[in-house]
Amino acid sequence: MVDTLGVAVIGFGWMGRVHTQAYARVPHHYPQLPLRPELVTVAEDVPGRAEEAAAQFGFASTTRDWREVAADPRVQAVSITAPNFLHREIGVAMAEAGKHIWIEKPVGLTGEDARAVADAAARAGVRSAVGFNYRNAPAVESARALIGAGEIGAVTHIRVRLFSDYAAHPQGALTWRFERERGGSGVLGDLASHGADLARFLLGDIASLTADTAIFVPERARPTGATAGHTLATGELGPVENEDYVNCLLRFTSGARGVLEACRVSVGEQNNYGFEVHGTKGAVFWDFRRMGELGLSRGTGYQDQPVSTVYVGPGDGEFGAFQPGAANAMGYDDLKVVEAHRFLRSVSEDRPYGATLQDAVHSAVVLDAMSRSAQSGSWVEVSV
């Protein structure tokens, strides 16, 4: 028998839409899941946006006040896709109301924020999922398995990159993302949070780090109305308060070393996200823009050892839920369907699947350490 789970989405910008579409697609890709999401309500304070969402996707009701979601007995699970500065307040309130939580990274502005939501969820006994979607790529899961099986020997070092041009235009609007109080640490929360999670997912815990940050576009125009995504503006100029760029050296508890670099103003770079992991016998490479491929070098040649292109297929991660054979492409939205499925499965089976709030705490603590290191110019211990 299939049960229904009443879900709400709080914040209906681009990511709220992605979550909603993922809920709708879960039964198509995972027909055996004994739980079906039912779109109960959408909360959005921009006038008219919630009503548009309801008309398009079939939410039963709308509200401009997210607090009404906490009090709604029809709602059993909530997607929190509101801006970062609201994550802690909304996340804690939903957990205390007994709602399961699917929340976007970085889960607040600091490690303290992420831990507050995680602790509230633990006290309430609710399940959680966090939007670290890149770890859901079948090729990334395959790379993790190869590394864990010793296929490239003992891991020596990793390089993680996340370069984007979404904030490269100098007339990009001064939205909440660029304010310290509402957007937190800028590109650290936006992109480096993914990098910290990927590094830990592949190599284990980070022990210490040293980081450098910079702001390359110091002023932006204030928007004159509600914004969605990364829009342009021509209003009064205001200061950019948080980081455009971060470069970080990592030391892992395993003894491996790493480099993590992220930038939101990289002209000529569109979603250039990926990693290179080197070991004593080989290496593995992944580029999000070629999501279904791995570059793999392994063997006993050491010098002049070739790199092969491996296409992931139905035996890797969740690939089989989307495509029948290797080299058929998956996309970004598919990774969010995987995430939605794992969230719903966690609720159904009352055990964790995929990234949880504890993973968010680990990532947030790394980001806090980056900020402290950039201010002090020193190596900083990472302690969860």
Side-chain angles (χ1 to χ4, degrees):
M1 188 177 78
V2 176
D3 294 324
T4 60
L5 185 78
V7 301
V9 175
I10 298 177
F12 206 82
W14 174 71
M15 188 55 72
R17 181 177 295 270
V18 171
H19 276 229
T20 302
Q21 292 170 165
Y23 283 129
R25 290 178 57 195
V26 164
H28 305 161
H29 297 279
Y30 299 95
Q32 303 307 314
L33 183 68
L35 198 61
R36 293 290 183 270
E38 178 182 357
L39 299 177
V40 171
T41 190
V42 54
E44 170 58 63
D45 63 0
V46 175
R49 192 178 284 176
E51 288 74 17
E52 291 175 6
Q56 182 175 2
F57 294 102
F59 288 96
S61 62
T62 67
T63 179
R64 291 185 63 182
D65 185 355
W66 62 261
R67 293 166 185 82
E68 293 183 3
V69 176
D72 192 334
R74 300 172 300 166
V75 176
Q76 297 154 291
V78 179
S79 278
I80 301 173
T81 54
N84 299 349
F85 68 97
L86 295 171
H87 286 182
R88 177 173 181 166
E89 183 182 8
I90 297 175
V92 170
M94 294 303 148
E96 290 178 345
K99 318 293 188 187
H100 304 287
I101 298 168
W102 179 13
I103 187 169
E104 276 305 313
K105 38 61 59 182
V107 187
L109 305 181
T110 64
E112 182 182 352
D113 285 351
R115 187 173 284 109
V117 181
D119 289 348
R123 288 193 302 269
V126 298
R127 289 295 164 191
S128 67
V130 176
F132 291 129
N133 41 271
Y134 300 109
R135 63 153 63 188
N136 298 331
V140 174
E141 295 191 311
S142 179
R144 185 177 191 239
L146 287 166
I147 293 167
E151 292 291 325
I152 63 170
V155 173
T156 54
H157 56 102
I158 183 174
R159 180 184 295 272
V160 183
R161 69 184 185 282
L162 298 110
F163 299 144
S164 180
D165 64 356
Y166 68 79
H169 201 298
Q171 289 182 306
L174 187 69
T175 64
W176 61 267
R177 291 184 181 278
F178 301 100
E179 299 174 2
R180 181 73 62 182
E181 186 175 340
R182 298 196 297 165
S185 54
V187 76
L188 275 69
D190 276 359
L191 296 181
S193 57
H194 282 297
D197 182 68
L198 279 174
R200 178 171 169 264
F201 184 67
L202 294 168
L203 268 65
D205 288 341
I206 297 167
S208 60
L209 58 82
T210 184
D212 181 42
T213 63
I215 297 173
F216 295 135
V217 183
E219 290 186 319
R220 295 182 180 274
R222 300 185 189 279
T224 56
T227 61
H230 307 290
T231 57
L232 303 185
T234 57
E236 176 190 358
L237 292 178
V240 171
E241 298 174 351
N242 54 25
E243 297 82 350
D244 287 328
Y245 171 85
V246 61
N247 184 31
C248 186
L249 299 178
L250 307 170
R251 292 173 179 162
F252 292 84
T253 56
S254 65
R257 298 298 196 263
V259 176
L260 191 162
E261 190 176 14
C263 185
R264 65 188 181 187
V265 296
S266 296
V267 175
E269 299 282 13
Q270 297 85 39
N271 297 322
N272 182 358
Y273 308 154
F275 57 76
E276 309 155 16
V277 182
H278 292 266
T280 54
K281 297 194 298 182
V284 61
F285 310 87
W286 181 71
D287 187 325
F288 169 65
R289 297 165 300 178
R290 304 179 70 90
M291 191 170 73
E293 301 178 17
L294 282 178
L296 180 60
S297 178
R298 56 182 171 180
T300 57
Y302 300 102
Q303 291 179 300
D304 301 322
Q305 185 164 281
V307 177
S308 301
T309 298
V310 177
Y311 296 99
V312 294
D316 298 296
E318 302 284 341
F319 188 94
F322 296 86
Q323 298 293 349
N328 284 288
M330 289 177 62
Y332 175 91
D333 283 14
D334 295 331
L335 302 184
K336 302 306 280 191
V337 177
V338 173
E339 203 166 280
H341 168 251
R342 289 176 174 172
F343 174 49
L344 296 171
R345 188 179 179 191
S346 296
V347 173
S348 177
E349 300 181 18
D350 196 28
R351 56 181 296 186
Y353 290 96
T356 69
L357 282 165
Q358 289 303 316
D359 296 302
V361 171
H362 279 275
S363 175
V365 167
V366 170
L367 301 185
D368 285 352
M370 288 182 191
S371 295
R372 295 198 308 273
S373 175
Q375 292 172 0
S376 69
S378 305
W379 281 87
V380 172
E381 299 295 317
V382 176
S383 177
V384 177

